[in-house]
Amino acid sequence: MADVRAMCAIGQRGQIGLDGGMPWSGTEGRIYEADVARFFELTQGHVLIAGPTTIASVPAFARKDRTLVTIRSHEQPGEVLARFAGRVVFVGGGPRVWAAYAPYIRLWDINRLPYDGPADRWFDPAWLTAGPPPRGV
Ligand SMILES: NC(=O)c1ccc[n+]([C@@H]2O[C@H](COP(=O)([O-])OP(=O)(O)OC[C@H]3O[C@@H](n4cnc5c(N)ncnc54)[C@H](OP(=O)(O)O)[C@@H]3O)[C@@H](O)[C@H]2O)c1
């Protein structure tokens, strides 16, 4: 089985997305830059699975030293993850992807940023207690 992890940056109230990007997009500050740098550092050498928009947003510098995998909603999470036995797999989000893969995620790395503005996508604490995956997958 893969070692399945998620890295998520959230605002003070669980904000995670706005207008298709990060809610704090364009906000300057070392803490925001460090969050992005840490994401690419910790996912280096591993598998990153996410929907097509998120995979397309991975910058050129980060494309060569990790395995990028586009996932679609018709695929079964258990079958996708079975392709990466023995690897560390990061589930890249956003919310619909995390909801579907939550039963498989062993380690959540949640960075709580000092942002307290609007959002249209939110972290759901129920992902952390999703229960085990269905039997046999
Ligand atoms: N704060 C963070 O750490 C963070 C991280 C990632 C994303 N985000 C934010 O999240 C927002 C994007 O969220 P979103 O609501 O558009 O949804 P989303 O969770 O990004 O998912 C939508 C995409 O994922 C694909 N997908 C693959 N497997 C899926 C599955 N089992 N179930 C559902 N979808 C699946 C969908 O494919 P189909 O086209 O086949 O349906 C679709 O293309 C953006 O604002 C982004 O910036 C934030």
Side-chain angles (χ1 to χ4, degrees), residues 5-17 22-24 29-42 90-91 98 107-116 121-123 127-128:
R5 307 178 186 181
M7 283 183 77
C8 183
I10 70 174
Q12 293 293 297
R13 295 166 209 273
Q15 300 94 324
I16 59 174
M22 298 292 203
W24 44 86
R30 285 181 65 175
I31 197 162
Y32 298 99
E33 291 155 20
D35 176 65
V36 175
R38 186 168 171 275
F39 177 83
F40 286 117
E41 184 184 327
L42 292 188
F90 284 90
V91 182
W98 280 325
L107 189 154
W108 282 91
D109 179 323
I110 300 165
N111 192 11
R112 202 158 164 259
L113 297 169
Y115 175 85
D116 198 21
R121 297 288 186 277
W122 299 83
F123 183 84
W127 299 334
L128 304 179

Side-chain angles (χ1 to χ4, degrees), residues 21 23 30 41 47 56-57 59 62 65 67 77 85 88-89 98 100 123 126 132:
R30 285 181 65 175
E41 184 184 327
V47 181
S57 74
D65 52 6
T67 306
V88 174
V89 178
W98 280 325
F123 183 84

Side-chain angles (χ1 to χ4, degrees), residues 42-64:
L42 292 188
T43 57
Q44 192 173 347
H46 300 307
V47 181
L48 175 62
I49 65 171
T53 308
T54 301
I55 292 295
S57 74
V58 174
F61 80 86
R63 292 194 160 264
K64 61 182 182 305

Side-chain angles (χ1 to χ4, degrees), residues 7-10 15-22 24 51-52 54 71-75 77 92-98 100-101 120-121:
M7 283 183 77
C8 183
I10 70 174
Q15 300 94 324
I16 59 174
L18 178 66
D19 297 334
M22 298 292 203
W24 44 86
T54 301
I71 52 174
R72 303 305 301 261
S73 49
H74 64 80
E75 297 177 285
R96 289 196 283 143
V97 168
W98 280 325
Y101 283 78
D120 57 21
R121 297 288 186 277

